[in-house]
């Protein structure tokens, strides 16, 4: 596996040496992170009419860790191409990742008509499954 990684790095460096800045513009980057999910009220939504002598309403603090969701995002040098939140109860497996890549491919066509993109993403198991590597 390390030899494959070294070969890939060598190929990418050769592409960069040949293409320069154009190579960097072909890179499509993806990442994911757990984010807190909550909808706090804005100031206007929380306003209410009350008399001067009325007690002020009690506000409850929103607990940021009330719910976490997995956020996935893909971007190119110009803009964000695709982002999604993993539904509660779902897991990232090869089928889910293939589905995400399918949507990403469609969105990428709308953004870059003339460029072949190079996907740079992390390497957990669903991303390297045999299903994903077969064309």
């Amino acid at each position: 596996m390390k030899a494959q990684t070294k070969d890939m790095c060598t190929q990418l460096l050769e592409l960069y040496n040949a293409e320069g800045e154009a190579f960097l513009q072909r890179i499509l980057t993806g990442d994911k992170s757990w984010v807190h999910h909550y909808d706090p009220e804005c100031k206007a939504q929380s306003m209410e009419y009350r008399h001067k002598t009325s007690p002020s309403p009690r506000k409850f603090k929103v607990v940021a860790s009330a719910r976490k969701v997995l956020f996935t995002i893909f971007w190119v040098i110009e803009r964000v191409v695709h982002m999604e939140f993993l539904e509660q109860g779902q897991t990232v497996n090869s089928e889910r990742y293939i589905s995400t890549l399918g949507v990403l491919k469609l969105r990428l066509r709308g953004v870059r008509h003339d460029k072949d993109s190079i996907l740079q993403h992390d390497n957990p198991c669903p991303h390297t499954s045999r299903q994903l590597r077969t064309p």
Side-chain angles (χ1 to χ4, degrees):
M1 192 64 146
K2 287 185 180 184
Q4 287 177 337
T5 304
K6 187 176 179 180
D7 291 342
M8 178 61 72
C9 290
T10 304
Q11 289 175 1
L12 292 174
L13 283 172
E14 288 172 359
L15 281 171
Y16 175 70
N17 287 333
E19 299 177 21
E21 189 71 25
F23 168 75
L24 298 177
Q25 293 179 355
R26 291 175 47 200
I27 296 174
L28 168 68
T29 306
D31 199 6
K32 60 187 180 312
S33 181
W34 288 100
V35 294
H36 299 288
H37 179 268
Y38 60 95
D39 290 324
E41 288 182 334
C42 70
K43 195 169 188 175
Q45 289 173 321
S46 65
M47 288 178 17
E48 63 181 47
Y49 178 78
R50 58 185 179 79
H51 192 270
K52 286 183 183 179
T53 59
S54 301
S56 60
R58 184 169 180 176
K59 295 260 184 177
F60 294 96
K61 288 188 176 183
V62 177
V63 180
S65 62
R67 185 170 149 212
K68 287 185 184 179
V69 294
L70 187 66
F71 174 66
T72 306
I73 185 168
F74 293 91
W75 67 92
V76 292
I77 200 166
E78 302 98 8
R79 64 174 61 113
V80 171
V81 177
H82 178 64
M83 58 185 163
E84 67 183 25
F85 293 95
L86 188 67
E87 298 88 17
Q88 194 167 8
Q90 297 285 316
T91 57
V92 177
N93 55 24
S94 58
E95 289 84 19
R96 172 65 188 214
Y97 195 66
I98 288 169
S99 170
T100 298
L101 290 179
V103 172
L104 176 64
K105 186 177 180 180
L106 291 174
R107 296 215 177 169
L108 197 57
R109 279 190 202 147
V111 174
R112 315 179 123 196
H113 301 287
D114 59 342
K115 296 180 183 175
D116 292 326
S117 295
I118 299 168
L119 177 62
Q120 187 277 319
H121 203 253
D122 57 0
N123 222 5
C125 294
H127 306 182
T128 58
S129 76
R130 193 175 312 132
Q131 254 185 316
L132 265 172
R133 289 184 289 186
T134 42

